[in-house]
Structure formats: C-alpha cells, structure tokens
Amino acid sequence: FFTNYSLSGQWVLSNENFTRSFHFLNHFTVGTRYTQFENPEFGWFNSTSFQKTDVYMHLNLFQGNRLMIYLNRFWRHNYPELAHDRIQDRHLAYDQNILANQVKDEKGWEASVNVAIINQKDFGWNLKADVYNIHTSATSNYVNYNRVPYLGTFYNPLNEDGTYGNIYGYTFEGVYQYSEFIPGIQESAPVARDANGNIVIDQNGKAVPMYFGLGTSDEYQFKGGDAKYTDVNYDGSIDENDVVKLGNVHPYFSGTAGSTLRYKNLWLGVFFNFRYGNDVVNLANMSLTNLYTKSNQSAETSHRWRKDGDEFNIPRALYNAGYNWLGSSRFIEDGSFIRFKAITIKYDFSKALCSKLHVNFLNAYVTAKNLYTWTNYQGADPNISLDTFWSETGFDNNFQGIPKEWTLGINIGI
C-alpha cells in the first residue's frame, strides 16, 4: 500500500490592498508545500520514497511579465526499502551499504530569473538563468578505515552528522632534483628542515634525511626524483601527522543559463550549464601518471625526472616501489566550469506553405551540443556526477571526453 500526497498553502500578496499601488507588480506569491511520494519497485528495493518541504516565493514584474523571479528553499529526505529476501538471503552489511547509497537528506536553495528584454510581434529576446545549491548528508554502516592516505587513496570521512565531502591528503610540493644535499649547490634534496626552513643537522654535522613512515614497517628514505610532500610538523617524516584538508567536492553553486532570440519565422536558442567551487580528485590522471606498474601511461610522463638536476613536476619511475603517488594535492583540481551546452537554429515555414502541403506546421532545425567548455580542469570532463555513493562523490576515473554532437531535423504536424 503506497500513499502519495501533497499539502500546500500560499499567500497571494499581489491581491492585497496594500500592494495594489505598486503598478509594476503583476504577481507576488509566498507559499509552502509538503510532498510525500512512494514508488513501488522490484529487484534491489521494495520501494523508494521521498518527503520534500518547499518554502518559495514567485514574483512577476512589469508589463507583460518582463521580469519573473522564483526563489525556493527546500528540504528533502530520500529513503528506499530493501526487499526483505535480499537482507535475509545475502550479506547484511553489503545490502545495508547499498541501502545507504540511496538514503540521503538534502537541503538547499534554487533561484530562477527570466527576463523578456524585447517582446514584440516579430522580434523577441529572452534571457533565463537557474542557479542552485544542495547540501547532502547520508547514512551508512560503511566505515572508511583508511584514515591515512596511502598510494592512490585519500581520506574522505562520513561525519557523525551525516555530512561529507572533505578530502584529506598530503600537500605535493614538486620533485626533489638531487639525492645528495650540497649547501648552495644542491638545495633541492630530501633533507629535513625546521619551521624557519633551515636544514636539520644530526650529531655528526650531517643533514638529516627525509623519510616516509620513519620508524614503521613502511619506512622509506626519499631520493632524488621522488615526490616532495609538506612536512607539516617538521619531524623529518611524512606520515599521518602531515595529512591536511585539501578540498571539498561540493560546489558553491551550479546552474544553467540561456537565451532565445526570435525574428519572424527564425528562432535561435543557446544554452549553457555551469558549476563553481568544487574540487575533483582526478583518478584518471593518477592512473596514467603514477609510473608504478606496467600499465599504460600518458605522454605527459615523458617529461619526468630521470637524473640529478632534472627539473620536472612528475617524479621518477619506480616499479612497485616508492611513494610517488600518495593521495595528495597533485591529483586534486578545481572542477569549476562553464559549458556551451547547445545551440539550436530553427525556421518555421509559413502557414501558406503548410496549407498547400496539408500539414498543420512544418519547421527545420539544426542543433549542436557540447561545443566548448571553459575550465582549468585537466580531466576528460569536469561535469562529473555528484549523485553517487558518498565515498565516491568527487572522484573522477573517466578516461573519455564528452563528444560534440550535431543534429539536423524536420518537424511535421499532421
């Protein structure tokens, strides 16, 4: 038995006496809405449901509704129920994590603005933009035990309040040029330094080497050509004490924007989408530049460190050895972008021609998609999905870019 319903209430302020003197005000509404929806499904889940609460404002201004503004603040809870036979017949923890992948609480805001700059019989120009921000929390029995970022991994915890998105790892500072430290000559060498940047000297008057995991089973002494990481506490060892917050996978805001231009029978529409302020872990770049296994590597790795004195930002190749691809800022990038998503040109043939052809309407159009993306992100596509399992959100392992598309079409109404 499934129950779907919606309750709403609104106040049309533009109908009140105290607003009628504002002649530019065509419509002004504030309201709230509560919706519960449950959908029966088969397979993984018995059903999926959500409850959503909206508090909104709708405003239309000027003659012909030249300016329309919509603002909404919302809270949403998504909750699926696993089929009982799945929980009983399979591993409970595994099924509960499948369930947790879908259980999410969302809160956020959205704003929409529509401006009719020109609105005449034969000529029209319209602009529209939608911007939104969503904060998501999740529930899960899954625990990320990897608190210390290791080769190819980061620490991305699920907090006690269900929020997530912070990425922790090491700060990458480049590549050591030399193995041996010589003052004033070979300064870029793996030696310990104090808070003032001075070389730490041992009891024999020699520079103290820089290690990874000093005093542990993973102890490794860095050499020339190895990745250089920030020693946060200046103890000469790169370890869990040097892990810092590197970024957050949630954008400050996302949205779409577009414009339509109409002149007699010709119509032109352009459409953009964008995202700002999110960080992306470029796993594809990590896989193609780690120089750790026999897997294919990108052409970029030809510019790697090979001998003392080389000044490159890609560490040397070490087969199944070293710590050159720890989870670090080297593989985290700004995922902000603006994409020229689509442009469409359409022509509506005259009613006289349609009458001769005995059709109700006839138009032809051409559409181009994914023409260009403005971004500093070096991965295949910055527009990665953020609707994933919480521990995977913000991680990009896509090796293929988004293709350009062209469409020619004719619409006929009979």
Side-chain angles (χ1 to χ4, degrees):
F1 179 73
F2 300 94
T3 303
N4 301 322
Y5 64 89
S6 179
L7 301 174
S8 63
Q10 65 180 19
W11 182 13
V12 184
L13 292 166
S14 53
N15 290 342
E16 301 294 341
N17 290 330
F18 60 82
T19 63
R20 290 180 179 175
S21 60
F22 302 110
H23 301 293
F24 60 88
L25 182 63
N26 298 331
H27 182 80
F28 184 22
T29 296
V30 293
T32 183
R33 178 174 53 248
Y34 175 81
T35 303
Q36 176 170 303
F37 178 81
E38 195 166 0
N39 180 39
E41 295 186 2
F42 301 96
W44 286 104
F45 305 111
N46 275 343
S47 65
T48 58
S49 64
F50 72 81
Q51 297 87 38
K52 185 182 181 185
T53 301
D54 297 90
V55 178
Y56 60 88
M57 181 202 76
H58 200 164
L59 184 63
N60 294 348
L61 301 174
F62 308 117
Q63 182 179 4
N65 295 327
R66 288 291 185 89
L67 176 61
M68 295 187 292
I69 301 173
Y70 176 77
L71 302 175
N72 183 34
R73 175 70 168 163
F74 62 86
W75 298 262
R76 173 169 169 156
H77 177 69
N78 303 277
Y79 192 85
E81 292 184 0
L82 279 168
H84 295 295
D85 60 337
R86 290 196 55 79
I87 294 179
Q88 294 172 358
D89 297 343
R90 294 170 174 81
H91 297 295
L92 176 62
Y94 175 70
D95 279 338
Q96 289 295 335
N97 280 318
I98 295 173
L99 180 66
N101 186 21
Q102 305 297 325
V103 177
K104 293 181 179 180
D105 285 308
E106 299 172 335
K107 62 180 179 180
W109 56 265
E110 55 187 338
S112 177
V113 178
N114 195 329
V115 184
I117 298 177
I118 301 174
N119 189 14
Q120 299 178 358
K121 180 180 178 180
D122 291 331
F123 185 37
W125 183 19
N126 187 80
L127 299 175
K128 184 177 181 180
D130 298 286
V131 182
Y132 59 89
N133 174 273
I134 300 175
H135 291 281
T136 306
S137 59
T139 60
S140 178
N141 293 326
Y142 172 79
V143 178
N144 185 352
Y145 293 103
N146 183 39
R147 289 182 171 273
V148 181
Y150 203 63
L151 294 174
T153 66
F154 291 81
Y155 177 45
N156 53 322
L158 180 66
N159 302 318
E160 291 185 2
D161 61 356
T163 58
Y164 62 92
N166 288 332
I167 302 297
Y168 296 85
Y170 301 101
T171 303
F172 177 71
E173 293 188 353
V175 177
Y176 291 113
Q177 287 184 261
Y178 305 94
S179 292
E180 182 182 358
F181 174 74
I182 302 177
I185 300 177
Q186 295 182 182
E187 292 281 343
S188 179
V191 292
R193 295 176 182 267
D194 62 22
N196 296 318
N198 300 315
I199 303 299
V200 179
I201 304 299
D202 63 17
Q203 59 186 2
N204 298 318
K206 294 185 178 180
V208 174
M210 177 65 70
Y211 288 88
F212 175 85
L214 181 63
T216 70
S217 59
D218 294 323
E219 182 176 299
Y220 172 83
Q221 182 178 339
F222 288 102
K223 303 291 183 181
D226 286 340
K228 180 181 180 182
Y229 304 103
T230 300
D231 184 10
V232 175
N233 59 348
Y234 311 106
D235 64 350
S237 176
I238 301 300
D239 49 37
E240 64 272 14
N241 296 311
D242 303 304
V243 175
V244 297
K245 179 183 173 181
L246 300 175
N248 188 285
V249 302
H250 297 302
Y252 296 139
F253 59 83
S254 306
T256 62
S259 175
T260 59
L261 186 65
R262 171 181 52 83
Y263 179 69
K264 293 186 177 179
N265 292 2
L266 190 65
W267 184 91
L268 171 67
V270 294
F271 177 71
F272 299 84
N273 66 317
F274 54 86
R275 186 180 289 165
Y276 176 73
N278 64 304
D279 296 298
V280 178
V281 179
N282 193 341
L283 294 180
N285 180 45
M286 177 183 286
S287 175
L288 292 173
T289 61
N290 59 52
L291 294 167
Y292 188 78
T293 67
K294 295 181 180 180
S295 300
N296 288 338
Q297 301 288 274
S298 72
E300 183 183 4
T301 58
S302 62
H303 301 288
R304 67 181 183 273
W305 188 97
R306 298 172 188 269
K307 64 182 185 305
D308 271 2
D310 282 350
E311 191 172 353
F312 294 114
N313 215 36
I314 296 181
R316 59 178 176 156
L318 287 175
Y319 180 67
N320 285 334
Y323 294 92
N324 289 337
W325 59 298
L326 293 172
S328 71
S329 56
R330 175 186 171 192
F331 304 110
I332 295 183
E333 302 180 40
D334 179 9
S336 304
F337 71 91
I338 300 175
R339 171 163 290 160
F340 191 172
K341 184 65 178 178
I343 180 171
T344 297
I345 301 176
K346 182 180 70 171
Y347 183 80
D348 293 305
F349 292 95
S350 66
K351 293 183 179 179
L353 176 60
C354 291
S355 178
K356 290 181 181 179
L357 297 176
H358 304 288
V359 297
N360 294 327
F361 65 84
L362 175 64
N363 62 58
Y365 68 91
V366 56
T367 296
K369 295 182 178 180
N370 306 317
L371 293 181
Y372 194 79
T373 303
W374 291 269
T375 183
N376 291 324
Y377 183 61
Q378 298 298 308
D381 182 8
N383 191 21
I384 64 173
S385 173
L386 299 180
D387 186 20
T388 60
F389 188 57
W390 66 265
S391 63
E392 299 173 353
T393 302
F395 288 75
D396 177 26
N397 57 7
N398 180 26
F399 290 86
Q400 296 181 345
I402 187 169
K404 292 182 174 63
E405 299 179 23
W406 297 83
T407 304
L408 299 173
I410 297 177
N411 293 317
I412 302 175
I414 301 176

